[in-house]
Amino acid sequence: CMPDSSNSLFSDQKFRSIMRAGLIVVILYVVVLAVGELKGLRFIGSGVSATNTISVNGEGEVFAVPDTATFSVSVQEEAKDVKDAQEAATDKTNDIITYLKGAGVDEKDIQTTDYSVYPQYDYSNSVCPAVSSGEAYYCPPGKQTLRGYQVWQTLTIKVQDTDKAGELLSGVGSRGATNVSGLHFTIDDQDQLEADARGKAMDDARAKADALADQLGVRIVRVVGFSENGGGYPAPYA
């Protein structure tokens, strides 16, 4: 009995067609899968947006004792000539800086935060002439005369040893300071405190998310969003 070559050929061609179609489907699937993985990379695409999420809030607090004191010192001088006013203000300012350095304040903690020059005028009103009945009343404008110039120079001082702050205030006041601002106590490394508080807030949020996921019977995969709101910080006092 002779085999049916036509049927065999047909069956072989059909098998090859099926195999070819199957290979095409596999290749397309692999290509699609590869594109999906590439889109997941941040530098290529944004990936698939997370839809099943859990939102939680975390809170962290850090307390610290103020370790730095700051205050400002202003010197005011007035003279008929700008140069004379500037020289007088500079002399007093240098005397204050010399005193601060001798008291242990580092040069980098003494900064000039304002330097201003203002012209000073004297104003005089003109005498209004007497008028007779029926004449229009007219009074000439006043006159301003340049009296001199006023120079303001302000220093901001950071004191690392807070115990010396009061002594330094008295010292600069006795060396010709025109104005000494109030004393403010601060934290020198504010960024580190904020980082510590942020870490505690993240730990608090993660614990809440894990507890909620356990109750819901789901698994936490990754963090998909983050926002930070700094609360009102209490003003530090000595």
Side-chain angles (χ1 to χ4, degrees):
C1 178
M2 295 291 293
D4 188 350
S5 60
S6 61
N7 290 339
S8 176
L9 179 60
F10 172 79
S11 298
D12 184 62
Q13 290 176 345
K14 184 177 181 181
F15 176 76
R16 292 180 180 178
S17 298
I18 293 174
M19 289 295 295
R20 187 181 298 112
L23 288 174
I24 291 174
V25 170
V26 172
I27 292 172
L28 287 176
Y29 174 76
V30 172
V31 170
V32 171
L33 181 63
V35 171
E37 290 296 328
L38 290 176
K39 283 187 176 181
L41 299 178
R42 294 181 180 179
F43 58 86
I44 292 181
S46 59
V48 180
S49 300
T51 54
N52 301 324
T53 61
I54 294 176
S55 297
V56 293
N57 293 324
E59 182 177 349
E61 286 185 330
V62 175
F63 298 92
V65 177
D67 57 5
T68 304
T70 59
F71 65 94
S72 297
V73 179
S74 297
V75 172
Q76 173 193 343
E77 287 296 327
E78 185 175 332
K80 190 172 183 180
D81 186 72
V82 176
K83 184 178 179 181
D84 293 338
Q86 289 176 327
E87 289 179 351
T90 300
D91 289 342
K92 285 187 177 181
T93 302
N94 289 339
D95 187 27
I96 292 174
I97 293 175
T98 300
Y99 161 73
L100 291 172
K101 290 181 179 179
V105 179
D106 199 322
E107 184 175 1
K108 66 180 179 61
D109 293 331
I110 306 173
Q111 297 182 350
T112 299
T113 53
D114 182 67
Y115 189 90
S116 305
V117 178
Y118 304 101
Q120 302 297 303
Y121 295 95
D122 289 327
Y123 295 89
S124 59
N125 295 324
S126 300
V127 178
C128 298
V131 294
S132 59
S133 177
E135 294 182 3
Y137 183 81
Y138 171 75
C139 190
K143 181 181 179 182
Q144 68 175 20
T145 305
L146 180 64
R147 182 178 73 245
Y149 295 88
Q150 187 181 91
V151 174
W152 274 90
Q153 185 168 356
T154 302
L155 301 175
T156 299
I157 296 92
K158 180 189 292 186
V159 184
Q160 301 293 348
D161 186 357
T162 56
D163 293 336
K164 291 185 176 180
E167 178 186 345
L168 294 176
L169 285 176
S170 300
V172 297
S174 63
R175 283 165 173 78
T178 305
N179 181 58
V180 181
S181 75
L183 197 61
H184 301 282
F185 290 91
T186 60
I187 302 296
D188 190 36
D189 194 355
Q190 184 79 17
D191 292 339
Q192 183 59 49
L193 289 178
E194 293 179 358
D196 293 342
R198 185 183 302 110
K200 290 186 176 182
M202 289 181 176
D203 292 340
D204 182 38
R206 187 179 298 277
K208 291 179 180 178
D210 290 339
L212 187 56
D214 184 61
Q215 293 174 348
L216 295 174
V218 297
R219 182 170 58 91
I220 301 296
V221 178
R222 61 188 174 91
V223 177
V224 296
F226 169 78
S227 63
E228 180 179 355
N229 294 318
Y233 299 104
Y237 292 93

